Amino acid sequence: MLELKGIGASAGIAIAKAYRLEEPDLSVEKKAVTNSEAEIERFAQAVENSKKELEVIKAHALKELGQDKADIFSAHLLVLSDPELLNPVKEKISSESVNAEFALRETADMFVSMFESMDNEYMKERAADIRDVTKRVIGHLLGVEIPNPSLISEQVIIVSEDLTPSDTAQLNREFVKGFTTDIGGRTSHSAIMARSLEIPAVVGTKKATQEIENGKLVIVDGISGEVIVDPSEDAIAEYKAKNDKFLEQKAEWAKLVNEPTVTTDGQHVELAANIGTPADVKGVLENGGEAVGLYRTEFLYMGRDQLPTEEEQFDAYKSVLEQMEGKPVVVRTLDIGGDKELPYLHLPKEMNPFLGFRAIRLCLEEQDIFKTQLRALLRASTYGNLRIMFPMIATVNEFKEAKSLLLEVKETLLNEGHKVSDDIQIGIMVEIPSTAVLADQFAKEVDFFSIGTNDLIQYTMAADRMNERVSYLYQPYNPAILRLITLVIEAAHKEGKWVGMCGEMAGDEVAIPILLGLGLDEFSMSATSILPARTQISKLSKAEAESFKEKILSMSSTEEVVSFVKETFNV
Ligand code: PEP
Ligand code: MG
């Protein structure tokens, strides 16, 4: 038995066999073959096997992820039946007497670069399909298994160095009982996705992939952040009992699923959810979310080879708005950069990606990308209660520029005969200290603020949110952070505007009584945190929380704040 310590990223306990998710080595060498006929047959067999595999994945995707994801695999199947691709490979094998993997790689590369250089979205998508399919067929030819998390059909715990948000989105909850990674923190995006999927997860163990072999029994305790490898009978029994207790607690929370969030003195606050994909809305509704307080649209742009089209985006935004049936949906425009990369944009590597060319900075420069998103958003606006939010705003001018582009796009759409809602609030993330300090000026311009503490804390404390070695400086309860939050809330309320918070702090049980006392209007968090938060708030008095505001703001350290809150509010 071996114990690893990491960061509990998604609550719950899972016990299952380890499944290691690793990028396979698909490098191919050129080899001469003597029997081209047999080589062509070997190629045909690999294509057939890939087709069978794709049929299974497609059926699975249709059931679990919906028609649009299944369509991706239909496109892959089409590629595998296309003589325009298959025949040149066969010809190359026989005319040059080379091995199938080499012939396929050369032929596919030629098509991919040809399609990619065309100024045509459709052809660019075909290039991506060919690349994916080639990987699969080469995997069969080399006898290398391509890990496919969506194909897992027994209960497992995924073990990997890191999980990309798109890997995470593919996990099938029926079989994937938990995951653990070497790197990452509570606010890294794989952790955030794990909470959306309600899969217990421990991230940042530093050595999960080093210590855990495929097939070994593993316990992942997402509450305490522990991972037990090869547990004893006693440890299994202990963790099963801990899990039963957790499930009991969940059942208790579930009683409030259809209730509003009201304090003991009758004050209502809004509990909203953060989502990354339209599929997450189900969890929001099941957990009693009153709104979507943050839709991180960048996940639509990730795990693929080119930008999503206007239509793809329109479908996603419309789906979220429709599913929320008129409840508010705050959609954040593209926030790429930091730990969220888009390799296909070919942006130069930066020394400080979290301080670099990202989010609104990129959108104001690459206006085509931004305008496509705004068009899709505005067209979807008639299907629900849309609010649009710009990320990483540092100056009032950036907001004005972004807003004027939005109005320009709206005008164009109306001229083209599209319908656009007349009632769309436009707000900003407050996640850069300059914006918090100047909140009184911003409050005159925006309809709302949403405080992004994940970034606000890292920028205020100058402590990278991904770096475990400076994580002691990642202090949500530091009075410096609380004073910035207060500046924002007071400035907004003075102008009659509302303030939400969509950083992870909003769902934190120590932060909640403080934020209630500071007057926060909307708390947006991982869906699974909503019911515990509602339970907690329903036992708090807003007037009492407010009475401690000055005292807390005059404290000098995190430790002082935490011990006061724990004692006073029984957290
Ligand atoms: C934040 O910075 O607090 C936030 C909500 O955005 P993200 O975590 O996506 O950077
Ligand atoms: Mg942020």
Side-chain angles (χ1 to χ4, degrees), residues 162-167 183 188-190 297-308 332 334-354 357-359 362 369 464 466:
D162 189 17
L163 276 178
T164 65
S166 67
D167 287 334
I183 61 176
S188 64
H189 287 91
S190 56
T297 57
E298 49 278 8
F299 294 128
L300 252 172
Y301 293 68
M302 297 168 74
R304 46 187 295 147
D305 295 313
Q306 76 274 314
L307 290 162
R332 177 173 77 183
L334 180 62
D335 180 13
I336 214 65
D339 64 335
K340 294 173 287 193
E341 293 178 5
L342 292 188
Y344 57 83
L345 287 186
H346 303 296
L347 295 170
K349 272 255 171 277
E350 297 184 316
M351 297 279 281
N352 283 308
F354 274 104
F357 183 60
R358 52 173 298 199
L362 182 142
I369 297 178
D464 182 345
M466 303 287 286

Side-chain angles (χ1 to χ4, degrees), residues 187 189 192 274 294 296 298-299 332 335 339-340 354 358 389 392 429-431 450-456 458-459 465 474 501-504:
T187 61
H189 287 91
I192 289 169
N274 298 344
L294 168 64
R296 289 183 165 94
E298 49 278 8
F299 294 128
R332 177 173 77 183
D335 180 13
D339 64 335
K340 294 173 287 193
F354 274 104
R358 52 173 298 199
M389 171 159 81
M392 296 291 295
M429 298 275 299
V430 180
E431 50 190 340
S450 186
I451 306 176
T453 46
N454 303 343
D455 280 319
L456 184 64
Q458 76 165 343
Y459 296 137
R465 67 195 255 194
Y474 201 83
M501 177 179 288
C502 58
E504 290 303 304

